Amino acid sequence: MDQHGRVLIPSYDCSGRLNFYSTRSVFEESKTKYVNSFGSKDIIGFEMFLDYKQPITLVEGAFDAIAIRNNAVPLFGKTLSNKLKSALICNTVPKVNIVLDNDALADSIRISEFLLKNNIETRLVKLDGKDPSEIGFDKTWEIINNTPVLDFESLF
């Protein structure tokens, strides 16, 4: 695979050590849009920049986290890693916003169930088929802030 024409986004753990990276092609016609690092995905994306006392926003990829700016965690996929699950519980996170793509609704529901079972205030945010990186910072936060807090009744 050609590594030219790619943007590399590193992720660092709480000690400042590289724990993951993701690359994205800058060419629309590229057959391989994203390439992630090899190895375990049992990491916390962008952990070095997290403040667990503030609300956390979960997104699929690095570019979405960059667009969100504030306390965003790229999952580098659609599921919570074990390390992230532990960190959310141990650090008593006040609120989590789930902002995954529309095709990840089942994954978003599973994440919501986990958070609600652990008494973490949760918002399941729907962006109508767009990504935060497409919509932009202001519009994404407007949608997040207008999304009601989730409970088990509304989840099902």
Side-chain angles (χ1 to χ4, degrees), residues 5-151:
R6 295 191 157 283
V7 175
L8 183 133
I9 307 292
S11 172
Y12 299 96
D13 67 14
C14 61
S15 300
R17 289 183 302 253
L18 182 71
N19 64 2
F20 200 79
Y21 67 83
S22 180
T23 69
R24 184 184 194 283
S25 175
V26 296
F27 303 113
E28 289 299 320
E29 66 276 2
S30 177
K31 292 178 183 167
T32 309
K33 189 174 181 180
Y34 291 97
V35 176
N36 291 328
S37 60
F38 298 101
S40 175
K41 275 191 168 181
D42 192 18
I43 55 114
I44 300 171
F46 294 6
E47 182 180 24
M48 185 169 92
F49 303 110
L50 289 182
D51 178 358
Y52 290 105
K53 294 181 179 104
Q54 301 297 319
I56 287 179
T57 301
L58 304 175
V59 295
E60 287 184 41
F63 283 93
D64 292 333
I66 291 167
I68 297 279
R69 297 184 198 165
N70 303 328
N71 236 25
V73 177
L75 301 177
F76 301 110
K78 301 171 197 257
T79 59
L80 296 178
S81 69
N82 289 328
K83 281 187 181 178
L84 181 55
K85 285 179 181 179
S86 295
L88 292 172
I89 294 168
C90 293
N91 290 293
T92 320
V93 174
K95 182 188 308 178
V96 174
N97 304 310
I98 303 168
V99 186
L100 303 186
D101 296 349
N102 284 356
D103 68 339
L105 182 59
D107 299 292
S108 295
I109 290 170
R110 269 192 295 280
I111 293 169
S112 297
E113 283 181 90
F114 169 79
L115 295 170
L116 290 172
K117 283 179 185 174
N118 287 285
N119 299 313
I120 299 172
E121 188 175 303
T122 304
R123 286 185 175 153
L124 182 53
V125 181
K126 298 174 187 163
L127 298 180
D128 296 326
K130 304 236 184 226
D131 290 339
S133 59
E134 291 177 84
I135 296 172
F137 175 79
D138 291 328
K139 184 65 176 168
T140 300
W141 275 104
E142 179 183 320
I143 294 168
I144 290 170
N145 290 327
N146 288 318
T147 299
V149 173
L150 194 61
D151 59 24

